[in-house]
Amino acid sequence: MRDNKIFTHTRTVLWKLILPVFILLFWLLAAEFAWVSPLLLPSPLVVGRTIQMQLGQEGTLLADMSVSLVRILRGYSLGAAVGITFGVLMGMSPKVNTFFMLTLTAIRQVPIMAWIPLLIIWFGIGENSKISVIFLASYFPILVNTMSGIASTDQKLLEVGRMYHLSRWKLFTKIYLPSALPVIFTGLKVGLGISWMAVVGAEMIAASAGIGFRINDARSLLQFPIVYAGMIAIAVTGLAMDMILTVVTNLSMPWKNNNK
Amino acid sequence: MSKKLEIKNLNRNFWIRNEEVAVLKDIHLTIDEGEFIAIVGHSGCGKSTLLKIIAGLEVQSSGSCLINGRSVSGTGPDRGMIFQEHRLFPWLKIKDNVQIGLDHLTKQEKDRLADDYLAMMKLSDFKHAYPSQLSGGMSQRVAIARALVTQPDILLLDEPFGALDALTKMDLQTEMTQIRQQQKSTMIMVTHDIEEAVFLADKVVVLSSRPGTIQDIVTIELGSVRDRGSADFAWYKRRILNYLIGEAKVNTPEFTI
């Protein structure tokens, strides 16, 4: 049984890796045989060396990534806190929902990129404008998912809660919240993805550090391998954060793993 | 025996598309302390509504529903309910599910009570499991433990074994007769299973449909240990069935809706 499990697991991992390996090989071939100009498409080996160099003493990749990451963590945690709080309140109370819904939906219609000029006018080109962009980008998907998760709580379980006279707080902690958790985590994941987009976008428009700034800067200096290196760094870090969130999701819902 | 529950002149109407529909009409029912009452009737006859009114989950349109002489307003710890679906919280372990109605007690008291009732329902080995790891029958036993552990004066059962397979159902019905001897709760069960009603109840209330009115109250005089195969048992079943079939004949066109 156990061997079987390991076998299945290995097969899943291999199945996942086929596509990226294939893309990498194709890229390598395209660069080696110069199907595309090496200026536009440097070889993955060159990009690999660039990443290696950028990660070293003289490079700025780590510094840029950490600047962007800190911005994301600050903006995103604010977005998550506000999004979950309002989502819970709006999901539990139709009255609160009606009060805020119209305004929030109107605000959501303004694309995040359209906020950036205004936020720069308000907060300058420093940290606060970046954090507010990420906050605005991430809170909405978190809010909407939390709200719909809470609102779709099984009425039959709530009836049990009423039968046992649970307080509003207990109703929240014992029924609403655990029932909405899967959907809340979906919102958190979507919000995290959007945070990356928002921070890179904001850094491209106005910043003096961060991965978005670095990509744009390298482009203007014609250092295309650095553009690639930056994009790969974003992809890998984003993937890692998504995986961390998946682990947190599974840990917070132990009742979902039945094979104990 | 003292009166536990008194329902007088109770009516319940629903509004369906601007039309007032009477669901329960002119219900008069007195239940003594410690009695086991079964309410039977066709689906849609209002029997579950009646139970929910007693539970305090719904309110009657007119008339009164008194428990110990006091009008029911909202749910209360004096009443417990077992639903057709087990309705356990999937995210709580079995023990925490059973303790959901015990918030007012200390941790030691909660643990002791939960352990006692889980043992009574033969579930001690599963107290740290999640509901998804249990079968349907076991889940329903947890639901029974959850309702009993609060030691309610009145236990309300809404088709409690309706979702179970025939064998599990019979096992639980037999266990229910044992539980009755240990608990002093008054029990009111809604069911469409006539055999179940005759097997468990002291009195069977037969409700007609649309609007639900009490057709008859049949007192079952078969003692505390009942044999499903006996002639007397069959006689009671037949008698109750006649009410329901007779009614179905008269009302056939309505039931095709």
Side-chain angles (χ1 to χ4, degrees):
Chain A
M1 273 310 274
R2 200 151 177 88
D3 287 344
N4 219 336
K5 237 182 196 171
I6 291 167
F7 178 68
T8 328
H9 185 71
T10 320
R11 212 169 44 179
T12 316
V13 170
L14 285 176
W15 185 239
K16 277 182 189 171
L17 288 177
I18 290 174
L19 185 63
V21 168
F22 181 77
I23 291 173
L24 202 64
L25 274 177
F26 187 75
W27 180 11
L28 190 69
L29 289 175
E32 289 304 308
F33 293 104
W35 295 341
V36 188
S37 150
L39 186 69
L40 298 181
L41 189 73
S43 152
L45 300 172
V46 175
V47 174
R49 268 198 299 277
T50 309
I51 293 175
Q52 203 182 3
M53 259 164 53
Q54 285 290 319
L55 288 173
Q57 286 290 320
E58 284 132 70
T60 53
L61 194 57
L62 280 181
D64 284 322
M65 283 305 288
S66 62
V67 166
S68 298
L69 261 177
V70 168
R71 286 170 179 162
I72 283 186
L73 290 180
R74 288 166 70 181
Y76 175 71
S77 48
L78 203 63
V82 173
I84 291 175
T85 310
F86 272 79
V88 167
L89 293 175
M90 289 170 71
M92 280 178 76
S93 154
K95 224 172 168 179
V96 179
N97 193 328
T98 317
F99 184 79
F100 284 108
M101 204 49 189
L102 186 71
T103 315
L104 289 176
T105 309
I107 293 173
R108 183 175 64 125
Q109 305 309 315
V110 182
I112 193 65
M113 290 302 148
W115 276 98
I116 294 177
L118 182 67
L119 294 171
I120 291 171
I121 295 169
W122 284 354
F123 299 113
I125 64 160
E127 291 309 295
N128 289 340
S129 64
K130 310 292 177 301
I131 291 166
S132 51
V133 167
I134 298 165
F135 164 73
L136 276 173
S138 65
Y139 97 94
F140 211 81
I142 299 174
L143 170 86
V144 170
N145 278 286
T146 305
M147 201 173 70
S148 81
I150 295 278
S152 64
T153 303
D154 190 350
Q155 288 300 320
K156 292 183 166 177
L157 294 186
L158 290 171
E159 211 170 55
V160 174
R162 279 173 64 200
M163 207 57 222
Y164 291 105
H165 259 266
L166 299 189
S167 63
R168 245 183 135 60
W169 174 248
K170 284 270 174 187
L171 280 180
F172 171 64
T173 56
K174 302 266 183 194
I175 306 179
Y176 281 108
L177 184 64
S179 145
L181 264 189
V183 191
I184 293 178
F185 273 110
T186 305
L188 285 173
K189 266 194 176 178
V190 175
L192 189 60
I194 292 182
S195 293
W196 267 112
M197 293 180 210
V199 76
V200 173
E203 286 171 350
M204 283 183 168
I205 293 175
S208 52
I211 194 68
F213 161 78
R214 188 61 57 202
I215 291 174
N216 212 25
D217 189 51
R219 180 197 54 85
S220 62
L221 299 173
L222 301 183
Q223 297 169 322
F224 294 147
I226 294 186
V227 173
Y228 283 84
M231 290 173 70
I232 290 171
I234 292 174
V236 170
T237 315
L239 185 66
M241 285 168 74
D242 191 83
M243 284 161 90
I244 292 171
L245 208 48
T246 304
V247 171
V248 174
T249 307
N250 292 338
L251 286 178
S252 17
M253 291 183 278
W255 63 91
K256 293 265 178 189
N257 317 312
N258 293 339
N259 327 311
K260 260 188 221 167
Chain B
M1 269 194 282
S2 63
K3 281 180 199 166
K4 191 79 212 169
L5 180 80
E6 253 190 304
I7 294 171
K8 282 187 274 188
N9 239 331
L10 186 136
N11 292 281
R12 175 75 170 109
N13 303 331
F14 283 129
W15 284 91
I16 300 170
R17 268 182 260 126
N18 295 326
E19 213 177 306
E20 198 167 18
V21 179
V23 176
L24 291 169
K25 201 177 164 202
D26 232 358
I27 303 290
H28 288 267
L29 184 62
T30 304
I31 297 173
D32 289 331
E33 193 166 353
E35 267 188 319
F36 194 124
I37 302 296
I39 303 172
V40 299
H42 289 281
S43 64
C45 73
K47 53 193 193 300
S48 287
T49 305
L50 182 58
L51 203 68
K52 283 190 172 178
I53 290 172
I54 300 170
L57 290 168
E58 275 194 36
V59 183
Q60 66 271 31
S61 304
S62 65
S64 59
C65 174
L66 309 172
I67 293 175
N68 294 329
R70 255 197 250 147
S71 193
V72 168
S73 74
T75 57
D78 57 333
R79 280 150 292 158
M81 188 142 176
I82 299 169
F83 302 89
Q84 178 170 7
E85 320 83 15
H86 57 72
R87 298 197 187 184
L88 300 178
F89 299 154
W91 38 85
L92 295 184
K93 291 183 177 171
I94 297 309
K95 190 174 163 188
D96 298 317
N97 260 297
V98 171
Q99 292 178 336
I100 199 78
L102 300 175
D103 266 345
H104 52 289
L105 301 178
T106 65
K107 189 169 181 325
Q108 286 97 318
E109 287 174 307
K110 277 163 78 169
D111 283 348
R112 186 184 56 77
L113 276 169
D115 285 345
D116 285 356
Y117 279 82
L118 283 172
M120 182 174 119
M121 298 309 294
K122 303 182 200 86
L123 286 162
S124 298
D125 293 342
F126 297 95
K127 61 181 175 187
H128 298 301
Y130 284 106
S132 60
Q133 294 165 297
L134 267 55
S135 68
M138 281 159 81
S139 298
Q140 196 60 340
R141 299 154 80 105
V142 179
I144 295 172
R146 174 177 71 183
L148 290 177
V149 78
T150 60
Q151 291 157 318
D153 272 0
I154 299 179
L155 183 65
L156 303 164
L157 305 104
D158 190 2
E159 304 197 18
F161 313 123
L164 303 173
D165 65 272
L167 283 177
T168 312
K169 188 175 182 166
M170 281 178 28
D171 283 346
L172 275 174
Q173 286 166 349
T174 308
E175 259 178 83
M176 208 59 219
T177 60
Q178 291 154 7
I179 289 168
R180 254 208 91 192
Q181 281 154 16
Q182 294 162 26
Q183 308 284 316
K184 16 180 227 312
S185 307
T186 306
M187 299 189 186
I188 306 170
M189 173 178 74
V190 157
T191 182
H192 55 250
D193 181 336
I194 297 169
E195 180 173 312
E196 180 170 275
V198 176
F199 187 69
L200 289 170
D202 298 320
K203 286 178 189 162
V204 177
V205 176
V206 184
L207 275 193
S208 65
S209 312
R210 298 181 190 204
T213 51
I214 294 182
Q215 253 185 317
D216 196 7
I217 299 176
V218 180
T219 306
I220 312 285
E221 285 160 341
L222 287 173
S224 59
V225 181
R226 297 177 186 180
D227 175 7
R228 292 172 204 264
S230 74
D232 287 345
F233 196 95
W235 184 82
Y236 278 112
K237 267 172 72 177
R238 190 72 230 166
R239 192 172 154 201
I240 294 164
L241 190 62
N242 280 342
Y243 280 120
L244 299 173
I245 293 174
E247 194 210 353
K249 272 184 195 151
V250 177
N251 287 342
T252 305
E254 271 200 53
F255 282 96
T256 56
I257 295 169

